């Protein structure tokens, strides 16, 4: 049963959709950044340190503020409902685990350790969001005495509304075309294969991965189709920062090297 079916009014249904969309954006960005960290830990430990640092900054700027905002709004309201109290206690405990994993990532002494901590953070965060989407939001949206839209009014941390990765000099632009701009040799370029990534997370995963690519470096994107809409979105977000070179044009995969100028 969908949360839209359970929502007590159209405004709450729209609020559920907005929260779920922001969840997908956060999960995708985190997955992309972790994928780049894991790839660098295996092939380029020096580059992994910068990726780790930017991943921690992303968590401090986006992931952890989102969790704090939830506690003061969604969790506070849901915990007043007897049927949700134990669930919310468990969700709060998972928030503490997320904070501990970010701190472990912050203090990781090696690229391998950082990659392991990042992957553990990603798995826990995705499981946590599934519980919020499937359990917490339906309880709130289906209760006629709770205005979910009122709880979330104007809360950027829960509904999105800012440009991800724009802070602290991070960027993810694109030329939006097929320029032959050169770049690193394939053996030095980490690969992000999004063919098996759920469609709702795919673009955010690419944005997160691009946010982990430092100036002068590149990543290889493997897509199930020619990603022209994605390239346009990248260019709209950060014009002219990434150049694009097609390495393979189908039929089963499109491979593009995106190089940070």
């Amino acid at each position: 049963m969908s949360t839209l079916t359970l929502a007590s009014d159209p405004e709450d249904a729209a609020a559920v959709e907005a929260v779920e969309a922001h969840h997908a954006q956060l999960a995708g960005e985190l997955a992309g950044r972790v994928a780049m960290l894991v790839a660098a830990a295996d092939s380029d430990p020096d580059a992994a340190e910068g990726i780790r640092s930017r991943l921690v900054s992303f968590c401090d700027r986006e992931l952890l503020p989102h969790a704090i905002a939830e506690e003061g709004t969604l969790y506070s309201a849901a915990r007043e409902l007897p049927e949700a109290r134990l669930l919310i206690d468990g969700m709060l405990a998972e928030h503490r685990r997320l904070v501990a994993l970010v701190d472990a990532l912050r203090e990781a002494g090696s690229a391998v350790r950082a990659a392991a901590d990042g992957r553990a953070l990603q798995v826990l965060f995705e499981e946590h969001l599934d519980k919020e989407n499937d359990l917490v939001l339906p309880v709130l949206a289906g209760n006629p005495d709770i205005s979910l839209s009122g709880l979330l009014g104007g809360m950027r941390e829960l509904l999105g509304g800012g440009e991800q990765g724009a802070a602290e000099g991070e960027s993810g632009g694109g030329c939006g075309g097929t320029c032959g701009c050169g770049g690193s040799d394939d053996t030095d370029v980490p690969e992000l294969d999004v063919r098996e990534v759920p469609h709702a997370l795919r673009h955010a995963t690419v944005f997160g991965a691009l946010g982990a690519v430092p100036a002068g470096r590149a990543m290889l994107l493997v897509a199930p189709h020619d990603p022209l809409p994605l390239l346009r979105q990248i260019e709209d977000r950060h014009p002219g920062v990434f150049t694009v070179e097609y390495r393979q044009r189908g039929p089963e995969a499109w491979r593009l090297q995106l190089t940070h100028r």
Side-chain angles (χ1 to χ4, degrees):
M1 186 177 297
S2 72
T3 52
L4 290 178
T5 302
L6 292 170
S8 57
D9 59 55
E11 290 77 14
D12 281 0
V16 168
E17 285 189 315
V19 173
E20 290 181 340
H22 190 44
H23 283 172
Q25 183 181 30
L26 287 173
E29 282 228 35
L30 178 61
R33 291 172 183 273
V34 170
M36 291 295 100
L37 178 58
V38 171
D42 183 54
S43 62
D44 191 350
D46 290 338
E49 172 55 25
I51 295 172
R52 180 202 61 80
S53 178
R54 286 185 289 275
L55 173 55
V56 171
S57 294
F58 166 76
C59 293
D60 289 340
R61 186 179 67 250
E62 299 288 345
L63 191 151
L64 296 183
H66 178 85
I68 293 170
E70 287 175 333
E71 292 182 10
T73 52
L74 302 182
Y75 289 12
S76 179
R79 203 173 186 282
E80 296 300 316
L81 305 174
E83 67 271 25
R85 190 164 299 144
L86 289 177
L87 168 64
I88 296 305
D89 286 346
M91 300 296 280
L92 289 168
E94 288 187 356
H95 277 187
R96 292 192 292 271
R97 290 172 58 198
L98 289 170
V99 171
L101 283 169
V102 173
D103 286 340
L105 184 62
R106 195 188 316 275
E107 303 298 330
S110 69
V112 172
R113 181 70 260 174
D117 290 336
R119 179 60 179 152
L121 175 66
Q122 178 192 350
V123 170
L124 176 59
F125 189 61
E126 289 176 355
E127 292 176 349
H128 185 78
L129 293 186
D130 283 343
K131 293 176 187 176
E132 288 179 348
N133 291 344
D134 297 340
L135 301 175
V136 178
L137 290 177
V139 165
L140 293 172
N143 191 311
D145 297 324
I146 296 175
S147 171
L148 184 59
S149 59
L151 286 174
L152 303 180
M155 295 203 65
R156 185 260 178 215
E157 293 85 354
L158 288 175
L159 301 178
E163 282 297 327
Q164 300 281 342
E168 300 184 28
E170 293 186 16
S171 55
C175 68
T178 60
C179 59
C181 54
S184 303
D185 185 82
D186 277 352
T187 58
D188 300 323
V189 178
E191 179 177 289
L192 179 69
D193 189 339
V194 298
R195 287 175 293 179
E196 300 302 321
V197 175
H199 187 268
L201 303 182
R202 194 173 292 161
H203 284 198
T205 300
V206 175
F207 295 145
L210 288 175
V213 178
R217 306 299 289 265
M219 82 171 197
L220 196 64
L221 172 66
V222 184
H225 56 77
D226 193 350
L228 292 176
L230 171 64
L231 295 179
R232 286 193 292 269
Q233 286 185 351
I234 293 171
E235 175 67 11
D236 288 342
R237 286 165 64 99
H238 300 286
V241 176
F242 280 84
T243 57
V244 179
E245 179 182 1
Y246 281 78
R247 297 300 183 90
Q248 178 182 345
R249 295 177 180 271
E252 296 182 356
W254 275 254
R255 298 167 64 87
L256 300 84
Q257 181 167 301
L258 290 91
T259 302
H260 191 162
R261 295 178 188 271

